[in-house]
Amino acid sequence: MSLRIRLLLPIFLLCCISVTYFYGFWMSRSVASGESIYRESIEGHLATIEKGLIPLMVSRQLDMVYGEFDELLKENADWRGITLFDARGKLLYPLSGKPLSQPREKGQDVRRFERIIKYRNVSLGRLIIDVDFGPRLKSIRAGHRGPRIMFLSGLFFLFLLTFLFVDRIVTRPVRVLSEAAGHLAGGDFSTVLPKSGDDEVGMLVAAFSSMREAIGRYQSELRDEIAEHRRAEEEVRASRERYRSLFMNMLEGFAYCRMLFENGEPRDFVYLDVNEAFGTLTGLKNVAGKKVSEVIPGIREANSELFEIYGRVAMTGRPEKFETYLDSLGIWFSIAVYSTEKENFIAVFDNITERKLMELALREREEMLSFSGRMAQIGGWEFDVGTGEGTWSEETARIHEVDPKAPTGVETGLSFYRGASREAIESAVREAIESARPYDLELEMVTARGTHKWIRTMGQPVREGGRVVKVRGMIQDITERKQAEEALRESGRRLKRAEEVAHLGHWRLDLGTGLVTWSDELYRIFGVAPETFRPSAGSYLEFVHPGDRESSSRVTEMIRREGTGVFEFRIIRPDGGLRHVSGYGEVVHNAAGSPTAIFGTLLDTTELRQKERELQEKNAELERFTYMISHDLKSPLVTVKTFLGYLEQDLARSDTARVGKDLNYIRTAADKMGQLLDELLEMSRIGRIESPPVRVGFGDLVGEALSLVAGRIVEKKVDVRVGDQPVILYGERPRLVEIWQNLLENAVKFMGDQASPVIEIGAEQSGGDTVFFVCDNGIGIDPRYHEKVFGLFEKLDPMSGGTGLGLALVKRIVERYRGSIRLESDGPGHGVCFRFTLPDALRHTTKGEKG
Amino acid sequence: MKGEPVVILLVEDDPAHAEIVRRNLEDFRIGNRLVHVTDGQAALDYLYRREEFSDPALSPRPGLILLDLRLPKVEGLEVLKTIKGDPDLGRIPVVILTTSGTETDMVKAYDNHANSYLVKPVDLERFVELMKTLGYYWLAWNSYPY
């Protein structure tokens, strides 16, 4: 029940009682009192009427009575009727004769008054008057309305005021306080409180406010305290976790045990608790609660010292640390044991088997190192910068050929070096001391016994507090290596020379790194410089002839696959020169048999090919030559032989005409044979120098040739025009003359029936070369036969004189001077131009002139 | 069967050797007409009736070709190849007459379908023998398969 209701309920009840009283008691009494007053007044009135009536009745002045009664009815509106009976009960009034019935109308409250009219105790009659009380009562009641409204309104306003007041000063503040308290419970301290007055509620508000502040303060203190507490708790937990984790995760094994004594002697012990590492390190599982003699049977016999130590620690509480080898586990342990309570002990241990093995290996390695130092002739040394005193290893002393026990120092050390070596080592040592710069030198030295040695020495400054205090290093006798190196260098030089001579380069492709190295000769073959070109598996392809690039790019692949391989390609050098090369490569394996590199050679076969081609040409020529011999030399022989047979027959038949013919054929054949042999002889001379080379003018040569064929020129009336180019040649004069002689003969011979035969001879410059020409306007040569004319014994016209050697001879001479010859002719009837060069004959003159 | 004498084409640059052939034929009394050309080009011109031989009346088709190997302008072997490579001319029997007895020449000649190969000096006996064989078939009866 709300406070408001509680406060208002009594007021409400009071109101109810007041209303009940007002309506139920006060009002009815007031009406009753009004009614009785009215009745009394009516009674009084009646009594008056009675008194008046008595004389009349006695006197029987009835009409007077009647008049009186009518007047009465008129005067008193409330009177409903008057009825008068005489003593015998005869109705006297109303005159209508009917006793007044009492009709009841609504809102009427008719009351009957009866009176016996007596005079001297004699009844005169009975009077009845009916009076309507309704209007009278109604007016009384109407008189009550004003006070009633006043009363009710008063009550209502009282109630309302009380309600508002209570609400304003009690309910609302209390509710706000209640809400604030609710918020406060929820931790909200900020609810706005009502104003605190000097009444009880105000005091309550003030008290609440101060309580809230107190709670706030207390709460914040509490909070801090809780946080502090939590932190502490967390720390404890973390620490516990850490220790637990340390215990569980520590790499060292941990065992908490109780020692069992028998007659004061440690006999056995029980594992109380172990960590995980225990299992990992020992390989033992589920040992907690078990005796060691169960877990590791025979341990007492095998490792009695373990029991002694554990027993001692368990009894005395003095911690001990030791290393031991457990046979039964095959493990080396490092164990620290301590005791916190008597007869119990804690062992913390580690498996140090690996370390032990390493120590063993290290010892072996040290021995090995010392051994290999001796074997490799490497010694160590060091000296003190301050004092200059030093020490060195036995091997160092051995290298210097001095007594290992003799004292040494920096001065002694340096005294073994002379000349440039001395300067080098002194400056290196100085640098090491002053600038803390390490050094690594290869030097020549002379030992105490005068032996010349090559050594490698390395020095490493040792610093302390920023200052070099010591220099420490090693020394190695590298005499043999140096000699080997020198031998290698020599062999390298020879190889290089050999490669140069043979035009053979070599290369190496490292299969691991992909690095390619070339020998000097290889660079020369490619026409590139090592400074500007970097060889690689692909970069060289740039110089490979485009036609060979694809096959060349697959070479390494092929060699890798096959183990070895040969290949050929063409190179176009940066300067445009074309070279033919052929190469060989093979895979190199290491000791383990895996391929490490490809080693190969590359041979410049250009000259070889040139020679080969020349040889082929010579061979072909030789073949042609034998062919010619077999035909052309045999041919006259066949003729001679056959016609000798005919001659015999003809002589037998004495057919003189035929004899003459036969003899003529035989003679012609013999002549032809002679001519052939002469020219062949001439031809064979070309390759050999028969006369000393001389300087001769072009004009002189042509002049001499002309003089040799002068007869035929004159005979055919040929107009010969010779150019006056000032060309000087250097060579065998007769050979050079033969060129022009043969060409002139040829021109004259094939002039045909030209009406005005002309031969032009001259020289002209063309593309830096001097080109000589001999042109005629004779019968010309069909382009089909242009090459054929230069062949041995080739004749285009079987009827013409000559053996067919002339132009072959010219070609040979021209080639002898490294020149070339070609003929130009637009075909039969257009004449022929022979054009040729003689570079060697001209080169020598230029040289000679310059010289 | 034709009644006309068969023409023999002699391709030979050496006049003396041509004379020998002529005399051999005479001795064997072969009266066939002998046409003599002195180089390979002329031989082909004759067979194909070109240039100076363009008149068919003057260049009857030969029934036998005697061919020297060593010839100016066009070599004998080339001439042989051309003849034997021609479906029409290929049927004409070709006898190689040459001074060269080298095997390569002989092999080359037979490779190019030469019908016979004779090395000069062709002694009378062998020439007669050959002519007999050839003549018996080609010349006397004058019957050749075209």
Side-chain angles (χ1 to χ4, degrees), chain A residues 261-323:
Chain A
F261 292 92
E262 211 172 90
N263 303 329
E265 286 288 308
R267 298 297 303 172
D268 208 346
F269 57 85
V270 178
Y271 291 106
L272 300 178
D273 194 7
V274 297
N275 67 351
E276 261 185 37
F278 179 92
T280 319
L281 292 174
T282 62
L284 302 171
K285 303 266 179 270
N286 306 322
V287 297
K290 289 186 189 158
K291 288 181 182 172
V292 72
S293 53
E294 296 169 47
V295 176
I296 314 170
I299 187 170
R300 185 159 162 68
E301 291 69 35
N303 294 85
S304 56
E305 81 286 350
L306 201 64
F307 289 79
E308 267 172 48
I309 297 167
Y310 284 168
R312 198 160 56 230
V313 174
M315 289 311 290
T316 62
R318 272 199 298 275
E320 290 191 33
K321 195 169 170 158
F322 61 100
E323 289 179 359

Side-chain angles (χ1 to χ4, degrees), chain A residues 194-318:
Chain A
K195 277 192 185 128
S196 57
D198 50 359
D199 58 354
E200 284 80 354
V201 173
M203 280 155 68
L204 181 63
V205 169
F208 181 86
S209 170
S210 59
M211 182 191 79
R212 192 170 72 169
E213 272 167 38
I215 288 176
R217 264 196 316 277
Y218 178 66
Q219 196 191 29
S220 102
E221 275 168 26
L222 201 63
R223 202 182 287 129
D224 289 351
E225 219 164 281
I226 287 171
E228 184 65 31
H229 184 71
R230 281 220 186 107
R231 204 158 42 241
E233 210 167 62
E234 182 60 33
E235 265 169 33
V236 168
R237 201 186 54 75
S239 152
R240 194 183 302 136
E241 197 65 30
R242 224 164 23 239
Y243 282 107
R244 181 70 197 160
S245 145
L246 172 67
F247 172 68
M248 287 318 286
N249 296 323
M250 64 195 251
L251 293 172
E252 286 79 19
F254 180 98
Y256 178 44
C257 310
R258 191 171 64 247
M259 186 52 91
L260 304 175
F261 292 92
E262 211 172 90
N263 303 329
E265 286 288 308
R267 298 297 303 172
D268 208 346
F269 57 85
V270 178
Y271 291 106
L272 300 178
D273 194 7
V274 297
N275 67 351
E276 261 185 37
F278 179 92
T280 319
L281 292 174
T282 62
L284 302 171
K285 303 266 179 270
N286 306 322
V287 297
K290 289 186 189 158
K291 288 181 182 172
V292 72
S293 53
E294 296 169 47
V295 176
I296 314 170
I299 187 170
R300 185 159 162 68
E301 291 69 35
N303 294 85
S304 56
E305 81 286 350
L306 201 64
F307 289 79
E308 267 172 48
I309 297 167
Y310 284 168
R312 198 160 56 230
V313 174
M315 289 311 290
T316 62
R318 272 199 298 275

